[in-house]
Every structure is written in structure tokens, then in C-alpha cells.
Amino acid sequence: MAEEILGFGADVVVEAPDELRRLVVDRLRAVAVEGATR
Amino acid sequence: MSGARDQVARLLALVPYLQARDEVSLDQAAADFGVKPAQIVKDLNVLWFCGLPGLGMGDLIDIDMDALEGEGVIRLSNADYLARPLRLGSSEASALIVALRTLRDGGDEAVRPVVDRALGKLEAAAGEGAALAAQVDVQVPESETATAGLRRDLGSALRERRQVELEYYVPARDETTTRVVDPLQLITAEGHTYLDAWCHTAEDRRLFRLDRMSSAQVLETVAEDHPDLPPRDLAEGIFSASPHDTLATLLLAPQARWVAEYYPVERVEEADGGALRVWLRVGDREWLTRLVLRLGGAARVEDPPDLGDAVASAAAIALRNYSTLGVH
């Protein structure tokens, strides 16, 4: 579920449940760091 | 077809094939059997030593090896007992019948009479052996029946060599585009029907999924010829990378190693900690951005740098939505 939502990027926002929203936010943060080249 | 089992199956088909012809060129036989000429030569060298029990001079299958080596022509004799081709097994016949019924239900009106004739012959030949097929209920997906009208229109554009104006949804950009194309062929692969066409907007060859077309208007304009475009090779799947596509390098964490098996990659290299480094061609940057977003931090774009920046930027923009909601 989270994976599908992440694929939509900024087009989909999870409002509830909290657990799913936290998971999506954590993974987006990881992509914001890991997605960039180093 | 290179194993011994495949070779036996081919040999049993090759004898009646050659019996039915006085002579056939090596290249033609190789093309008909879908193997290289060298493989047919190997097969003939095996057949040369096959025959009836006793295996004396008069019992062996006779192949004119001088004609083969000198003229590249195959002549076979003394194998009248193998004049008929092998019959299909019951599971093979059933599989073919089910496939043809599916093709019939999903096909347009021009295809159905051809399929019906083939089905009739096959069912008559298989007899009781086709009983298994009767137990299979074929349901064509709704999306396929919904695109039947499009298939009919595009089929007529192909026959009459007309350009087509498409209204086409591009999911990677979430937008509908209008474009004029020269149709090349209709393809069914991996559960979807595609129009293979030359796109005048992209000035390149493109595949368009029929269930993403909202309309296809056949124009009066004659489609341009594209003799330099070879038939599309689907052996490696529907996506074929172009050398013009960007070559991206991804570092995949262990939980994302499946990417290397799921998508066509040009090169794979083991990395530290069970990670995998892969090189893949990317025709659509948005597609890669969505893939890396989905992987949720389990993949890093190592190259090209601007693509990695685009992915990080897409994640940062999505995160802003949550900041405005007060989620941290």
C-alpha cells in the first residue's frame, strides 16, 4: 500500500491512518536523502 | 531448441517435412524450424544414423550429404515410414484450443472467421484429446472488449495506410496528449494490446496501449513509409531500450534487488552489504522517479546526478504536503 502511494509522489497525501502516514513520510525522507547522488 | 529432447522433437518433425519436399535449401529448413543452419546440419548428421531395426545399409534414412555440402540443399529418402507429422498431445491441443478461443473472443470481425476455421480443424483432429479444453472457461478482460472498437479502427488504418490522431493518456505525466501517428502494427503482449507506431510529436517510434487511448481518429492523410524500421522484437519483452535512452546507475539495497530481475538491465554488479548495482536504460525520466520513490529509500540514483537530484526533489515536494498538514 505504502509503495503504491509513494509512487504517486506529491499527487497523493495520506491523511489517515496515522501509522500509514508516518510510514510514507519516513520513506519520503529516506528518498530525499538516498535518491540524490553522492 | 538446443537440448536433446528438443532435438528429438525436431527430428521427428524434420523427416516428414523433408519427405513432403523433393528438396529444400538448408537456409529455408532452418528458417522454417526457427534454428540456425548449423543446427539443421547437426540434426541431419544424427538422422543419417537412424532407421529401422537392423540398421543395415538399406534400413537407414538416406540423406544426400554431397548435395548438402556442395549446394546447400537437403534431399532425404528411405524414410517412408515417417511420412506423417507427429500429432499434438492432448495437453498441447487443449492449450492451443483455449488460446484460439481467447483470441476469437478478443479479436475483431476480420480475425474471427480465420480463427473459427483453425479451431474447427484442430478440434476435429484432436477429437477426445481436446476434452480438457472444454472444461476451461475463457473470460476476456473487460478492458480488451472495451478496446475492440479501437482495434477495428486501427486495423483499418493499417490496411489503408492512413495516419491516425490519438488522444492518449500518459500516466507518467498524468496528462492526455494529442498526437498524429503512422501505424506500423498491432501487438498483443503481456496482457495488453498496443499500437506500434511512428509518432510525429516525439519524432520517434512509440508503443501506445489501447486501453490508454480515449480516441483514435483515422485521418485522410496517407501514412508515411518507414522502411528503415524493422519489426519489433518482443523476445525480451514489450519494453525495448534504445541506445539513445539515458543510462542510469542505481544502487539497490537487498530488499530492492528484485528490480534487477523485474526490469531489463544492461549490467549488474554485486555491492557491499548484499546491495546490487545495476545499469538500466531509461526512456522516461518520470518512470524512474516513480520507481525510486516507490522503493522508499532502498535505491539510490548514482548516475546521472541530475536524475538523482530530480528524485530527491520529487520526494521533498511530496514531504512539503505533510509539513502543511502539521505532520513531522
Side-chain angles (χ1 to χ4, degrees), chain B residues 53-114:
Chain B
L55 297 178
M57 285 303 287
D59 301 320
L60 294 173
I61 293 173
D62 192 20
I63 296 165
D64 187 344
M65 285 299 184
D66 291 336
L68 178 65
E69 288 164 12
E71 306 162 42
V73 166
I74 311 170
R75 295 192 194 107
L76 177 142
S77 57
N78 204 30
D80 295 342
Y81 44 87
L82 272 177
R84 283 197 323 176
L86 279 179
R87 290 178 68 119
L88 290 170
S90 59
S91 57
E92 292 166 328
S94 296
L96 264 178
I97 288 170
V98 170
L100 281 169
R101 282 183 191 157
T102 311
L103 187 63
R104 186 190 186 285
D105 288 356
D108 58 32
E109 287 163 17
V111 169
R112 281 186 189 154
V114 182

Side-chain angles (χ1 to χ4, degrees), chain A residues 5-34:
Chain A
I5 293 167
L6 284 162
F8 286 108
D11 294 336
V12 173
V13 179
V14 180
E15 292 188 339
D18 289 346
E19 196 177 317
L20 180 61
R21 189 176 56 198
R22 273 197 295 274
L23 182 63
V24 168
V25 168
D26 285 349
R27 290 194 180 173
L28 281 172
R29 282 195 183 117
V31 177
V33 176
E34 292 292 334

Side-chain angles (χ1 to χ4, degrees), chain B residues 123 206 217 252 254 287 304 319:
Chain B
E123 283 170 342
R206 290 283 187 273
Q217 189 189 347
L252 304 170
W287 172 82
L319 273 172

Side-chain angles (χ1 to χ4, degrees), chain A residues 3-15 21 24-25 27-32 34-38, chain B residues 290 292-294 296-297 299-305 308-309 311-312 315-319 321-322 325 327-328:
Chain A
E3 190 181 305
E4 298 303 321
I5 293 167
L6 284 162
F8 286 108
D11 294 336
V12 173
V13 179
V14 180
E15 292 188 339
R21 189 176 56 198
V24 168
V25 168
R27 290 194 180 173
L28 281 172
R29 282 195 183 117
V31 177
E34 292 292 334
T37 49
R38 289 176 179 171
Chain B
R290 288 161 64 94
V292 179
L293 282 172
R294 280 176 57 204
R300 185 197 307 160
V301 183
E302 291 191 323
D303 195 63
D309 292 343
V311 172
I317 291 167
L319 273 172
N321 289 332
Y322 292 92
L325 281 176
V327 180
H328 298 289

